[in-house]
Amino acid sequence: MSTESTPRPAARATIDLITAAWHTQAVYAASKLGLPDLIAAGHTGPAELAKAADADQDAVRRLLRLLLRLGVVDGDENDGYRNTDIGDLLRDRPGSLRDVSLLYGEEFYQAWGNSIETFRTGGTGFEKAYGRSLLGYLGEDPDAAQRFQRAMQAQAKNFSFDAVPQLIDFSSDRHVVDIAGGSGQLLATVLGAAPKARGTLIDLEHNIPIARAHLEQTVGTDRTELVAGDMFTTPVPREADTYLLSRVLGDWQEDDCIRLLRSIREAMAPHSRLLIIEMVVQDGKDGLLAPLWDLHLMIVNGGHQRSIGEYRDLSARSGLSIERCVQLPMETSALVLTPAG
């Protein structure tokens, strides 16, 4: 059969898949140059945007032409461009996704550029690109670590965290423990819905200042204790009402997950619960983000997203049982686990 008989919709869909990485880099370039912020400040034409961004005028003009079609900006080069809702999310301000764009356009883009290493050998594309693991990289570069945490915080805000207290009741909690709590955003969100509770956050030393800054601005450090340490070796506070484990298990293999879950189970009281927030991979064609993130985790740090069956197996092997599964935005799930038997 000749190539002329190939259905045009299939050919176009194939080309769209092949060139999707160009979308990522175009949005990254706009974020890196600060175009959304410059547009918001009143620089709306290609020439003045290029001058304000210290960039090439023709390149900026052509970039804006693509950003218009990607829905990042609206308008034209004669009357000027304006940000769409997407463009606003790429501005350099709290709650935006600019740091996410920078992270995915730089470090993660390089990791995916070496993804064949993962598929051929099982090693991570990140280590192939940077010569060390993601955790090692972040531990050695404080600026990268802060940008990473800001990106994770922004993703959490736009993915699921704000919805958690709307779907799960924390009002009677007195002690909440967030393990590998990162920037402290989830703990702050939960404590905001649990006015009588105190919180404990455990994470690596380089993340503690980031968490402290966020908690100081939200619930205050008088209600929180920050513990610097490895989540596998740092003692888990005993008999808390709720333990939080958000976007952690996806980074680790089964044996490590079971080791961590068992240490939490040993610390739990009969009334305690463990809240796991992750993307859960569905059967069939439903849900695109979860399998995308599954491959991303595999390429970046060797992790993966799991199905509900895999989480039930992990829970059972750790002395826990899944009480319920709560659906959050952006294909994210909150699994509520309680002590088994």
Side-chain angles (χ1 to χ4, degrees):
M1 182 180 293
S2 69
T3 57
E4 294 181 354
S5 65
T6 302
R8 287 186 179 273
R12 176 55 189 269
T14 304
I15 292 296
D16 286 344
L17 290 173
I18 292 169
T19 59
W22 300 352
H23 300 188
T24 301
Q25 287 304 100
V27 173
Y28 162 72
S31 302
K32 188 74 172 180
L33 291 171
L35 296 186
D37 291 287
L38 293 172
I39 290 173
H43 305 281
T44 61
E48 57 181 312
L49 279 167
K51 183 178 180 180
D54 192 23
D56 181 80
Q57 180 177 332
D58 183 56
V60 169
R61 179 182 64 82
R62 292 159 69 177
L63 174 59
L64 287 163
R65 186 168 60 192
L66 176 59
L67 295 175
L68 174 68
R69 288 158 174 80
L70 294 178
V72 177
V73 298
D74 206 349
D76 57 54
E77 62 180 275
N78 295 317
D79 297 327
Y81 290 97
R82 58 187 179 275
N83 289 318
T84 63
D85 290 344
I86 295 172
D88 275 332
L89 276 173
L90 295 170
R91 292 174 60 188
D92 187 7
R93 58 181 182 175
S96 83
L97 291 173
R98 181 175 185 268
D99 284 310
V100 178
S101 175
L102 297 180
L103 179 66
Y104 280 70
E106 293 179 8
E107 287 92 347
F108 287 172
Y109 194 81
Q110 294 298 321
W112 273 86
N114 288 274
S115 61
I116 196 65
E117 176 77 10
T118 301
F119 297 114
R120 282 183 171 158
T121 71
T124 71
F126 192 95
E127 289 193 44
K128 181 70 173 178
Y130 288 93
R132 54 200 186 278
S133 69
L134 174 61
L135 282 177
Y137 175 82
L138 297 176
E140 296 169 9
D141 189 332
D143 290 337
Q146 289 193 6
R147 181 157 51 85
F148 178 84
Q149 284 300 335
R150 289 197 304 268
M152 295 303 102
Q153 188 174 1
Q155 279 191 359
K157 179 178 177 60
N158 286 280
F159 273 54
S160 59
F161 281 3
D162 289 348
V164 171
Q166 301 172 27
L167 299 169
I168 297 173
D169 183 16
F170 298 95
S171 60
S172 62
D173 282 12
R174 295 296 184 271
H175 188 196
V176 178
V177 177
D178 194 353
I179 300 164
S183 67
Q185 185 177 359
L186 177 58
L187 180 60
T189 301
V190 170
L191 290 179
K196 298 179 181 179
R198 59 188 176 88
T200 301
L201 183 144
I202 301 171
D203 210 323
L204 298 174
E205 186 172 359
H206 67 265
N207 286 330
I208 294 299
I210 302 168
R212 180 178 292 110
H214 181 73
L215 292 168
E216 284 176 348
Q217 295 174 0
T218 51
V219 297
T221 53
D222 58 320
R223 295 180 60 197
T224 57
E225 178 186 8
L226 304 179
V227 179
D230 186 300
M231 64 183 180
F232 292 108
T233 58
T234 301
V236 178
R238 300 188 63 80
E239 300 187 352
D241 299 290
T242 299
Y243 295 87
L244 305 173
L245 206 55
S246 176
R247 300 163 73 193
V248 173
L249 297 183
D251 294 336
W252 300 92
Q253 299 302 315
E254 272 66 17
D255 289 346
D256 292 316
C257 290
I258 291 170
R259 180 158 57 105
L260 178 59
L261 290 173
R262 284 178 176 171
S263 71
I264 297 171
R265 171 64 183 90
E266 290 173 3
M268 295 172 77
H271 75 278
S272 301
R273 62 183 173 178
L274 168 62
L275 184 62
I276 296 175
I277 297 179
E278 293 281 356
M279 287 185 178
V280 176
V281 181
Q282 308 294 327
D283 292 332
K285 294 183 178 181
D286 292 336
L288 177 61
L289 286 178
L292 272 175
W293 246 264
D294 177 46
L295 286 184
H296 175 67
L297 290 175
M298 179 174 64
I299 289 163
V300 169
N301 62 10
H304 66 281
Q305 300 289 4
R306 297 174 171 86
S307 68
I308 189 65
E310 289 173 306
Y311 277 115
R312 291 191 189 283
D313 180 63
L314 283 179
S315 302
R317 295 170 64 186
S318 306
L320 298 161
S321 66
I322 299 178
E323 182 181 276
R324 60 186 176 126
C325 179
V326 180
Q327 296 303 308
L328 300 173
M330 294 287 191
E331 298 181 28
T332 304
S333 298
L335 305 177
V336 182
L337 280 66
T338 54

